[in-house]
Amino acid sequence: SPSLPLPPSDDGSSEMRSVHATAAIPPQTTVVSIPKRCLITVEMGQATPIGRKILSSSLELDAPKHIFLMIYLLWDRKVRGPSSFFHPYYAILPASLRNMPVFWTADELRHLRGSHLLRQIRDRIDAIDDDYRAICSLCPEFPAVASRDDFRWARMIVCSRNFGLLVDGRRTSALVPHADMLNHRRPRETKWTFDDETQCFTITTLRGMEAGEQVYD
């Protein structure tokens, strides 16, 4: 509607990333190889003090695998801080995620007036906040690790960046530094997997790519 003001210019686009080929790449070329020790997995989140409490409880959470990745990310950033092995990775993660609907302002959401998307956004926010309150109730120390806004941020980081993998015969999900800078595209032009022989997460091209072309996962 012409009567509605335009959204603010800070739309989150400054946080968008992409990966491009610097030279021609033949098909069936491994373009990304990340060692296992650089992956953040569900099991690492389960092994934290908060993760162990959740595992031993009857807590029902909206997306358990995502939750454990979030727990590790939040706990490790807070407890280990700059001494964490993953600190350089945390430092380059998007800070605001302003391009994601759960972080849109009331003024921006007004542009969706009459759309079913408003209810979907509200439901997503409510589910995230319900999980946060449930974990805080089980673990009174959790608010010192992460605020509600931190928790929302971590949820969006994980749901937009995690990879489902089979690692050493075990189904898991992982955050994979560097690999998560590739944007998604369908139909797929690459494939990802965990290579048990090299103990690395790999991304391999399915078609040839030209220099300068964006590489997708």
Side-chain angles (χ1 to χ4, degrees):
S1 168
S3 63
L4 288 176
L6 292 173
S9 58
D10 176 22
D11 60 0
S13 58
S14 63
E15 293 185 333
M16 301 297 289
R17 293 97 182 269
S18 59
V19 175
H20 296 256
T22 59
I25 303 173
Q28 302 304 317
T29 300
T30 298
V31 292
V32 172
S33 182
I34 308 295
K36 182 181 178 181
R37 69 187 184 91
C38 295
L39 276 57
I40 297 174
T41 64
V42 168
E43 292 72 27
M44 291 166 65
Q46 292 173 338
T48 64
I50 294 168
R52 289 197 296 269
K53 284 188 178 182
I54 294 172
L55 274 180
S56 63
S57 74
S58 57
L59 212 57
E60 293 187 7
L61 300 169
D62 184 50
K65 284 189 175 181
H66 287 185
I67 290 292
F68 288 117
L69 289 173
M70 292 161 59
I71 293 297
Y72 187 86
L73 170 62
L74 293 166
W75 177 85
D76 190 49
R77 282 201 324 162
K78 181 69 175 181
V79 174
R80 295 195 176 116
S83 67
S84 167
F85 173 76
F86 294 102
H87 177 69
Y89 172 59
Y90 302 150
I92 64 170
L93 287 173
S96 72
L97 298 174
R98 278 277 294 112
N99 61 314
M100 293 193 171
V102 300
F103 297 114
W104 288 354
T105 65
D107 188 56
E108 289 169 327
L109 291 171
R110 284 200 302 145
H111 293 268
L112 293 176
R113 193 165 53 201
S115 167
H116 69 282
L117 290 174
L118 281 175
R119 171 41 54 191
Q120 290 184 339
I121 294 168
R122 186 69 255 169
D123 288 347
R124 171 59 67 91
I125 293 172
D126 288 345
I128 295 170
D129 291 354
D130 285 348
D131 282 349
Y132 180 70
R133 285 190 291 269
I135 294 171
C136 288
S137 177
L138 178 70
C139 309
E141 70 274 25
F142 191 56
V145 171
S147 68
R148 185 196 64 178
D149 287 345
D150 292 333
F151 193 79
R152 288 180 179 180
W153 171 85
R155 179 60 179 273
M156 293 298 102
I157 285 287
V158 167
C159 77
S160 64
R161 305 174 94 82
N162 81 96
F163 293 87
L165 297 170
L166 193 66
V167 178
D168 298 330
R170 183 171 184 173
R171 183 69 60 185
T172 189
S173 293
L175 294 174
V176 187
H178 179 67
D180 62 7
M181 293 183 71
L182 276 68
N183 292 315
H184 301 297
R185 188 173 194 173
R186 292 294 178 267
R188 64 180 186 162
E189 300 175 350
T190 60
K191 63 178 179 180
W192 78 71
T193 190
F194 183 82
D195 188 322
D196 288 330
E197 184 176 343
T198 64
Q199 289 289 286
C200 290
F201 170 93
T202 62
I203 295 179
T204 303
T205 57
L206 296 177
R207 67 167 181 83
M209 297 181 179
E210 301 298 324
E213 191 174 351
Q214 185 170 172
V215 182
Y216 296 92
D217 67 20

